[in-house]
Amino acid sequence: MMNDILTTVFRRIRGRLYDRAVGMLQSGPEADDALQEAFVRLWQRRDTFAGESQAEGAAVATVRNICIDELRRRSAHPLAAEMPDMPLYDAHDDMQDVIGHVQRLIESELSLRDRSILIMRDRNGYDFDEIAEELGMTEPAVRMALSRARKTIRNIYRKQHGK
């Protein structure tokens, strides 16, 4: 009976779970993956649900948590997450040339503060609170400056390379 509750609930609310996952992840395929992962996790605890409302609550929370985990994973690799449509190099380019070009853009186009934030976060792996403390800023201000710095470099690179 418990196995039927989980399957029944999951089938009934699958559309709502999918919409929520797409809303968070901005990707249908990733939302599908999140739902599959959620069902696997819930299936392992299927005997713990006392009723449909408990199974539904667990399903909603599990999908949300999986999406949050994915968003955190993306933020750990911000350049890959922010520029999925931008190839870092063409078949004709040498990877070292591209890296060198981006480094030169960072050095020439960003203010000292923005350059410091970008390097501290992306190269040295500092957390936002560490950067904020080091530079005497708030965490939201650090996040905003980092986002703008990345956007500036991305736009200049695209403009220069016709992408």
Side-chain angles (χ1 to χ4, degrees):
M1 181 67 181
M2 290 296 148
N3 297 352
D4 294 339
I5 289 175
L6 178 62
T7 305
T8 301
V9 167
F10 209 84
R11 284 184 180 157
R12 180 171 44 87
I13 65 171
R14 186 186 188 292
R16 192 174 79 198
L17 295 173
Y18 179 80
D19 290 343
R20 182 174 192 146
V22 167
M24 291 179 76
L25 299 174
Q26 302 297 307
S27 167
E30 287 182 355
D32 284 331
D33 291 345
L35 264 59
Q36 289 175 7
E37 175 67 23
F39 189 78
V40 168
R41 287 185 190 180
L42 292 168
W43 188 257
Q44 294 170 353
R45 342 180 322 219
R46 65 189 175 273
D47 296 328
T48 64
F49 302 121
E52 287 191 13
S53 65
Q54 191 178 24
E56 183 173 338
V60 170
T62 301
V63 169
R64 185 194 74 228
N65 291 341
I66 288 170
C67 291
I68 290 170
D69 289 346
E70 173 60 22
L71 294 171
R72 286 180 181 154
R73 185 194 62 76
R74 287 180 191 172
S75 71
H77 304 287
L79 292 178
E82 286 191 17
M83 298 186 260
D85 60 333
M86 183 180 138
L88 293 178
Y89 63 95
D90 292 331
H92 305 291
D93 291 344
D94 177 38
M95 178 64 106
Q96 293 302 328
D97 289 342
V98 172
I99 292 170
H101 183 73
V102 170
Q103 287 174 337
R104 285 188 297 279
L105 288 175
I106 290 169
E107 293 296 322
S108 66
E109 300 295 330
L110 296 179
S111 68
L112 178 60
R113 184 198 69 167
D114 289 351
R115 185 170 51 242
S116 297
I117 291 170
L118 187 71
I119 290 170
M120 290 170 80
R121 178 70 181 165
D122 291 342
R123 191 180 299 163
N124 300 336
Y126 282 52
D127 289 330
F128 289 106
D129 61 334
E130 294 171 317
I131 297 169
E133 184 178 324
E134 180 83 19
L135 298 178
M137 300 170 66
T138 64
E139 283 186 52
V142 169
R143 290 177 191 275
M144 181 71 71
L146 180 63
S147 176
R148 287 182 181 156
R150 288 177 179 155
K151 184 177 181 180
T152 297
I153 298 302
R154 180 175 54 245
N155 289 341
I156 293 169
Y157 182 90
R158 285 181 173 164
K159 198 176 292 182
Q160 291 178 353
H161 291 85
K163 296 179 182 187

